[in-house]
Amino acid sequence: MLIRVRSRDGLERVTVDANATVKQLQYAIAETLNVPVSQQLLSRNQALLLAKGADRDAPSFTDMKNLGSSLSTLGLTHGAMVYLVYSGERVVARPPVTPHGTFGKKMTMDDMIARQTRIERQEKPHCSSLSLDRDAANSFQNYVHQSLAFAVKRGGFMYGSVNEAGEVLVEFMYEPPQQG
């Protein structure tokens, strides 16, 4: 199961077995987050993060002191939050910067060209021709022209058939409810 661990470094995740104990959770934190077991103080009480020195020995933070207690008996399920306080320093791995997170950074002309999307000509069309039923097309166009004066884009689904030559014959148009 996944346990979310909130510390001064932010929110991180640790995976443990569903019937794990507090001790096994501490070892998982030591392995995953590089915080030695001897420096860990765990609690389900969020006030632990704001407590100073001697206040951390308060009875409200002893809920996870018994290392043999299973996480399920403490009410910890998949996705539960545990608060962690530790002494010392550690290096926290940050997620890599995405291309969208490059605001204000220098970009060369080659970088800009590499990020462009190129739309190229289609060699063979999907359909060779399209024929619309006159009444269906007129009904659709009249509504758009008279009611909206072509000021709002509208769309419709075309239903019909396609023959072996790739010619499409539209017999019916359905315009779903739309907001302009």
Side-chain angles (χ1 to χ4, degrees), residues 1-5 11-12 44 75-82:
M1 79 177 152
L2 182 122
I3 300 292
R4 297 179 296 158
V5 180
L11 182 67
E12 297 171 288
R44 297 212 49 207
L76 294 171
T77 59
H78 180 75
M81 182 81 74
V82 172

Side-chain angles (χ1 to χ4, degrees), residues 14-67:
V14 174
T15 304
V16 293
D17 190 47
N19 53 5
T21 62
V22 174
K23 186 174 193 105
Q24 290 170 330
L25 175 62
Q26 284 185 321
Y27 281 117
I29 290 171
E31 182 181 321
T32 308
L33 306 181
N34 297 324
V35 177
V37 174
S38 61
Q39 294 180 4
Q40 295 179 18
L41 176 59
L42 297 172
S43 178
R44 297 212 49 207
N45 188 345
Q46 184 178 5
L48 175 67
L49 296 177
L50 299 175
K52 303 279 185 206
D55 294 339
R56 291 186 182 151
D57 295 330
S60 58
F61 304 130
T62 59
D63 56 336
M64 297 183 76
K65 284 279 191 188
N66 185 359
L67 301 179

Side-chain angles (χ1 to χ4, degrees), residues 118-160:
R118 291 176 176 73
I119 300 174
E120 297 180 2
R121 179 183 168 159
Q122 181 180 346
E123 293 299 323
K124 184 178 179 220
H126 293 292
C127 68
S128 59
S129 68
L130 173 72
S131 298
L132 293 171
D133 179 60
R134 177 182 296 185
D135 293 333
N138 282 339
S139 174
F140 181 76
Q141 286 181 342
N142 283 337
Y143 173 74
V144 175
H145 176 65
Q146 291 173 358
S147 301
L148 306 172
F150 289 103
V152 178
K153 292 183 181 183
R154 303 289 286 189
F157 293 103
M158 296 183 270
Y159 294 93

